[in-house]
Amino acid sequence: MRVDLGNALSDVATPGLSREALDELDERVADAHERIQRGRDESEHGYAALNLPDTANPDAIRRAVEPFADAEAVLTVGIGGSALGAATLARALPSETDAFFLDNVDPEHVTRLLDSLPLADTAVNVVSRSGTTAETLANFLVVREAMDDAGVDWTDRTFVTTGEEGNLRRLAETEDLPALAVPDGVPGRFSVLSTVGLACAAIQGHDIDAILRGAGDEADRLAGSLYDSPAYAYGAASYALEERGAAVNAMMPYAESLETFAEWFAQLWAESLGKDGRGQTPARALGATDQHSQLQLYRAGPHDKMVTLVRPEERADRDIPHTDLDGLSYLGGSSLGDLLDAEFEATEASLAAAGQPNVRVEIDRIDERSLGELLYGMEAACVLYGELAGVKTFTQPAVEWGKKAARGLLGGGDFEEADAVAEKTTLTVE
Amino acid sequence: MRVDLGNALSDVATPGLSREALDELDERVADAHERIQRGRDESEHGYAALNLPDTANPDAIRRAVEPFADAEAVLTVGIGGSALGAATLARALPSETDAFFLDNVDPEHVTRLLDSLPLADTAVNVVSRSGTTAETLANFLVVREAMDDAGVDWTDRTFVTTGEEGNLRRLAETEDLPALAVPDGVPGRFSVLSTVGLACAAIQGHDIDAILRGAGDEADRLAGSLYDSPAYAYGAASYALEERGAAVNAMMPYAESLETFAEWFAQLWAESLGKDGRGQTPARALGATDQHSQLQLYRAGPHDKMVTLVRPEERADRDIPHTDLDGLSYLGGSSLGDLLDAEFEATEASLAAAGQPNVRVEIDRIDERSLGELLYGMEAACVLYGELAGVKTFTQPAVEWGKKAARGLLGGGDFEEADAVAEKTTLTVE
């Protein structure tokens, strides 16, 4: 992973970082790096995620999914961090084995998806650390019933990824299902490099060792200075830009296959850093498509954002055929990749010319190894940002309130949160 | 469309709107409504989009696409507003005819998509108002070549949607292709209710008259008071909340099939309102999935956002099977729809309890008529917001700079913008 902060400097952009400010920040990066390394050494909660390149066990994952090697499709039933990592890899890497995700409880969507799946040839991975996530368990019950109805023995097609306790673990024991353990100390949004993210990739035939090797390379580049570590350069610059007014971080990959990566990043950033009345808001965009949409705002709107432009340096390219259409002859002889790269650089320059801060992130190509670098790099960037901001990066207390309220509404117990729902203030216009 | 502003009131939220502030704002809404109606009466640029429920010609659209009635798939080649409206409808409404979109120039994506399409049975709709959009024309040249290579007569399978002039129009004349005209005075992001958005829907067998009827119903509800018009209630509240610090508008539908609607909304909002150093930043989220992600930030982060929660009141539901799994018996006997609605209300209450402003938008169900209401309602809301903010809602000057730079980079002429690209400031960490 390479990070270019040139267009985030105060010579170029407002808000922007002066070279002096970066040097001062770098002293804090050194301290934060020590804290992070200590957390890693002691496998503290959260920090343990940064050790996954060494602690994940790809052989165990491959063994666990071996019974599903011939599956036509793999269906992950999970929500949030239990699905997004696997979905990011599945979207980025082409495979003959299709991957699907039930990460929502929309009944129409669930029905359409189940009707379209070859259930007898689908591997089902039910993922929930606690084994009690309402959405995931509800969907699993529905999938199980659909398999029963289709005459498929669901116990043959299902495995679970869960903690040592809880419903799912007990179910796996009772029904003798293959079970993968979620690693200790790794919050869902940091779990892509563990069993949680890699089982689906393994079934799809991807080289999960290479993913971990790429992540390990990025781990090796963590260092006591932002000038030596791309991940820290990104995390420190994001933090410092937010401090100076960049309340929004627009993540804009120039590759269709990284669209889900932007979603994964949004979870990582929002859930880790959004607390104590602070936190940069991630916004998702896609280049070049969103040049015809968000770019108007990013360039001419408030100076309250940074834009992160991500691209692979190499792509499998495709020539644009020659044409005699007036005014388009310049496209012929060029390629779609040339056009996309020209758009990338044009957007970057267009933002810089308007003084809007932006950061360039590049990987070699979209393959297992480079994805490992990118995903690990962004996780380390997030952890560093959290240290600099002094927030509890690895907790998510604000999602609990709503869970209790929903449970109460469904008759799953008495919760005062559910009463608050009934007391809603209304002002309806119809 | 129904809009509930209760949780945007200052009794509940910060930033929030007092009843007095709403009453004062309502006087400005009356003036803005007059301006909008005058624009509509005179079919002024942009305002003309609000007349589409009357001026669109569904019969002409159906006639133009009649030759493609038997297509297995429809491929729209277009970018930004030339694709997003059609994509929104295609994603929302199930059909036996699959819809695909080439709205990016990613070579790997283009190749994968073309390899997967039944080219001989695919209708291709090339959409560009100017007939010169580089991405769209480049993709069209690639599609044409792929059809040639597959032995398919592309002139049999292609129609264009374009203006009266330009390359595409000339091509249609030379090759005798069916051609639909884009309506005058309707910017791309406001074109979903025209030929641009409706041709694909017609091929997919959707009831485009019902879409226009729904839009017409919402048009009939435009009135000189925000208390009488859901669209204006939404637009006025968004404007007033932004004035008070809600720099971000998180659009969060509770329906998988409205995911692309959130993207369409993001373009509408960003490109129309993001100018003169102002404009609310749209962020896209999806309920209930993003409760396990963005919600932490939305609830516990800065008070710089409003969250828009959208749902249909009715869905085709699906029961959750009974279970004896410990602690989950409360789910059995309930339904996925009940769970999703409980999550919706829990999230809404959770945000309100944290004093974070949010607005509820409801439609009857996800069908043609209700989508017409929703899309028209959001367009009218955007136009009202633009009037109140005093911006030029219907222009997009900031996207032009990058277009020139990209063209220059590809050798399509001398542009000083291209020179700026070469002068990039760099600070690379690798």
Side-chain angles (χ1 to χ4, degrees), chain B residues 104-166:
Chain B
N104 204 352
V105 286
D106 180 324
E108 293 175 348
H109 174 70
V110 171
T111 295
R112 261 181 247 170
L113 180 60
L114 290 177
D115 287 350
S116 73
L117 280 181
L119 291 175
D121 295 303
T122 298
V124 178
N125 182 14
V126 189
V127 189
S128 165
R129 167 180 290 277
S130 66
T132 60
T133 311
E135 296 93 336
T136 301
L137 274 292
N139 274 334
F140 167 58
L141 294 171
V142 169
V143 171
R144 194 166 78 165
E145 185 183 58
M147 285 188 148
D148 278 343
D149 291 349
V152 176
D153 181 353
W154 66 270
T155 62
D156 266 1
R157 310 303 303 155
T158 303
F159 68 106
V160 303
T161 308
T162 191
E164 290 303 317
E165 311 262 307

Side-chain angles (χ1 to χ4, degrees), chain B residues 209-219 221 368-374 376:
Chain B
D209 295 279
I211 296 172
L212 291 168
R213 272 199 304 278
D217 289 347
E218 204 58 43
R221 287 190 279 265
E368 285 91 338
R369 187 156 191 144
S370 292
L371 284 169
E373 288 184 26
L374 180 64
Y376 187 95

Side-chain angles (χ1 to χ4, degrees), chain A residues 308-344:
Chain A
T308 303
L309 299 156
V310 183
R311 73 168 165 186
E313 288 206 64
E314 283 176 37
R315 312 174 190 264
D317 210 347
R318 184 159 188 139
D319 289 339
I320 302 172
H322 284 279
T323 176
D324 54 4
L325 286 175
D326 272 1
L328 291 176
S329 54
Y330 76 95
L331 289 174
S334 182
S335 70
L336 292 181
D338 293 339
L339 178 54
L340 191 54
D341 279 329
E343 306 247 32
F344 178 98

Side-chain angles (χ1 to χ4, degrees), chain A residues 2-5 103-104 106 108 135 256 277 281 284 287 289 292 296 300 305 316 343 398 424 427 429-430, chain B residues 2-5 103-104 106 108 135 256 277 281 284 287 289 292 296 300 305 316 343 398 424 427 429-430:
Chain A
R2 281 167 298 287
V3 171
D4 179 354
L5 301 181
D103 61 350
N104 204 352
D106 179 326
E108 294 175 347
E135 296 92 336
E256 286 273 327
T281 299
R284 294 174 261 151
T289 307
H292 294 258
Q296 167 68 36
K305 319 178 174 61
E343 306 247 32
K424 182 182 169 340
L427 172 56
V429 181
E430 56 194 326
Chain B
R2 280 168 298 287
V3 171
D4 179 354
L5 301 180
D103 62 350
N104 204 352
D106 180 324
E108 293 175 348
E135 296 93 336
E256 286 274 327
T281 299
R284 295 174 260 152
T289 307
H292 294 257
Q296 167 68 35
K305 322 180 171 57
E343 306 249 30
K424 181 181 169 342
L427 171 57
V429 181
E430 54 193 328

Side-chain angles (χ1 to χ4, degrees), chain B residues 91-111:
Chain B
R91 178 69 192 272
L93 300 168
S95 167
E96 309 258 297
T97 309
D98 290 324
F100 299 92
F101 295 85
L102 271 187
D103 62 350
N104 204 352
V105 286
D106 180 324
E108 293 175 348
H109 174 70
V110 171
T111 295

Side-chain angles (χ1 to χ4, degrees), chain B residues 8-251:
Chain B
L9 293 174
S10 53
D11 322 344
V12 175
T14 309
L17 309 173
S18 69
R19 307 241 177 201
E20 298 71 35
L22 275 176
D23 289 343
E24 279 171 35
L25 186 60
D26 203 37
E27 295 174 24
R28 295 181 57 201
V29 169
D31 291 342
H33 176 61
E34 269 188 41
R35 171 69 189 91
I36 292 168
Q37 291 301 88
R38 200 166 62 244
R40 292 180 64 192
D41 289 344
E42 293 168 17
S43 292
E44 284 181 58
H45 181 72
Y47 300 99
L50 297 181
N51 293 334
L52 283 167
D54 293 324
T55 58
N57 186 339
D59 291 328
I61 295 171
R62 265 188 300 266
R63 269 197 309 277
V65 303
E66 218 282 316
F68 309 101
D70 61 341
E72 271 180 51
V74 51
L75 173 66
T76 301
V77 183
I79 194 165
S82 295
L84 267 175
T88 298
L89 294 170
R91 178 69 192 272
L93 300 168
S95 167
E96 309 258 297
T97 309
D98 290 324
F100 299 92
F101 295 85
L102 271 187
D103 62 350
N104 204 352
V105 286
D106 180 324
E108 293 175 348
H109 174 70
V110 171
T111 295
R112 261 181 247 170
L113 180 60
L114 290 177
D115 287 350
S116 73
L117 280 181
L119 291 175
D121 295 303
T122 298
V124 178
N125 182 14
V126 189
V127 189
S128 165
R129 167 180 290 277
S130 66
T132 60
T133 311
E135 296 93 336
T136 301
L137 274 292
N139 274 334
F140 167 58
L141 294 171
V142 169
V143 171
R144 194 166 78 165
E145 185 183 58
M147 285 188 148
D148 278 343
D149 291 349
V152 176
D153 181 353
W154 66 270
T155 62
D156 266 1
R157 310 303 303 155
T158 303
F159 68 106
V160 303
T161 308
T162 191
E164 290 303 317
E165 311 262 307
N167 288 315
L168 272 185
R169 175 62 59 178
R170 278 198 303 281
L171 183 79
E173 285 164 3
T174 315
E175 304 283 353
D176 201 22
L177 307 176
L180 281 162
V182 295
D184 283 337
V186 177
R189 58 190 175 278
F190 287 91
S191 67
V192 59
L193 300 168
S194 77
T195 50
V196 177
L198 298 179
C200 171
I203 294 175
Q204 287 197 289
H206 301 311
D207 183 349
I208 61 176
D209 295 279
I211 296 172
L212 291 168
R213 272 199 304 278
D217 289 347
E218 204 58 43
D220 290 343
R221 287 190 279 265
L222 297 185
S225 166
L226 70 90
Y227 300 112
D228 296 327
S229 166
Y232 286 166
Y234 184 74
S238 299
Y239 161 75
L241 287 169
E242 193 275 336
E243 286 266 305
R244 287 159 177 77
V248 172
N249 186 340
M251 174 55 73

